Amino acid sequence: MKTTITFSDIAHREHTAKVIPLGISMIAAYAYKHFKDKINVEIFKSADSFTQYIDKNIPKIACFANYIWNANLSYQAASRIKKKEPGTITVFGGPNYSLNEVQEQKEFLISHPNIDFYIVGEGEEPFVNLLKELFKHNFDVKKVKEQKLKIGGCHYIINGEFITSPMPKPIANLDDIPSPYLL
């Protein structure tokens, strides 16, 4: 059975642009390229569509784009999922997160306990590397975190300790990222 992963760049109905959520869709396409035999990918832009989806289906991993305009909405959706199924892994990424202040990053994650992992910078490689570790550890977040694994571009909290590692080098050839329009 394939693992379901949702990728959401959600916004409220009146604020939803009628465009593909390109950033998070590129991460989804890259992950699918590496794990197409192991994962199902669902992409959401509309908060209404995502809410209807999680009322009936809970993904194994729920990924969220984190922008200033959707931060609260995304976190509330993640919290709703965690309440319904605490074992769902939540991954956030995006620019609504300090890039330079380690203390601010730590405080952000401590104040948002329903975020399991935060991907910093370009998310394609870090997410694929995180996914490799999650598959290797049978999606046991506690096991991954207890080992204090340094996954490039991935931040998390374990027992109050902030675990971080440098961002990996950007993907040199953008043609390595499949078109999200073809997913």
Side-chain angles (χ1 to χ4, degrees):
M1 179 171 18
K2 291 186 177 185
T3 300
T4 299
I5 305 174
T6 58
F7 294 86
S8 303
D9 180 358
I10 53 177
H12 289 290
R13 184 178 320 133
E14 59 273 6
H15 295 104
T16 302
K18 304 297 182 207
V19 296
I20 188 171
L22 186 60
I24 204 158
S25 295
M26 290 178 70
I27 295 166
Y30 196 69
Y32 188 75
K33 172 185 172 181
H34 288 273
F35 297 98
K36 65 180 149 208
D37 295 333
K38 293 183 174 186
I39 65 173
N40 288 321
V41 169
E42 299 285 342
I43 300 173
F44 296 91
K45 179 69 178 163
S46 161
D48 291 337
S49 295
F50 187 65
T51 300
Q52 290 170 7
Y53 177 86
I54 62 173
D55 282 345
K56 297 176 183 168
N57 311 283
I58 295 295
K60 187 68 179 167
I61 303 172
C63 304
F64 296 90
N66 185 34
Y67 296 101
I68 195 167
W69 57 83
N70 74 351
N72 292 335
L73 182 62
S74 293
Y75 189 70
Q76 289 304 315
S79 297
R80 183 177 179 176
I81 290 170
K82 285 285 197 182
K83 185 177 181 180
K84 193 171 179 180
E85 178 49 64
T88 295
I89 301 162
T90 55
V91 181
F92 275 60
N96 193 39
Y97 185 77
S98 177
L99 289 179
N100 302 314
E101 298 297 326
V102 171
Q103 188 58 34
E104 286 180 22
Q105 294 169 338
K106 180 180 180 179
E107 288 171 8
F108 177 88
L109 289 176
I110 287 172
S111 68
H112 295 85
N114 287 323
I115 297 174
D116 292 311
F117 299 98
Y118 203 98
I119 302 291
V120 181
E122 293 180 9
E124 289 83 3
E125 281 293 330
F127 184 72
V128 163
N129 291 332
L130 173 61
L131 207 48
K132 286 177 186 175
E133 292 300 330
L134 291 170
F135 270 111
K136 188 164 120 182
H137 293 87
N138 201 30
F139 300 98
D140 188 330
V141 170
K142 188 176 179 183
K143 282 183 183 176
V144 171
K145 288 184 173 187
E146 284 176 341
Q147 292 181 37
K148 298 181 182 178
L149 296 174
K150 300 281 188 171
I151 303 166
C154 186
H155 295 177
Y156 58 93
I157 300 287
I158 177 70
N159 299 325
E161 183 180 351
F162 181 57
I163 307 298
T164 181
S165 66
M167 290 186 280
K169 291 181 181 180
I171 296 171
N173 182 359
L174 293 181
D175 288 336
D176 289 343
I177 304 172
S179 171
Y181 294 96
L182 301 176
L183 257 178

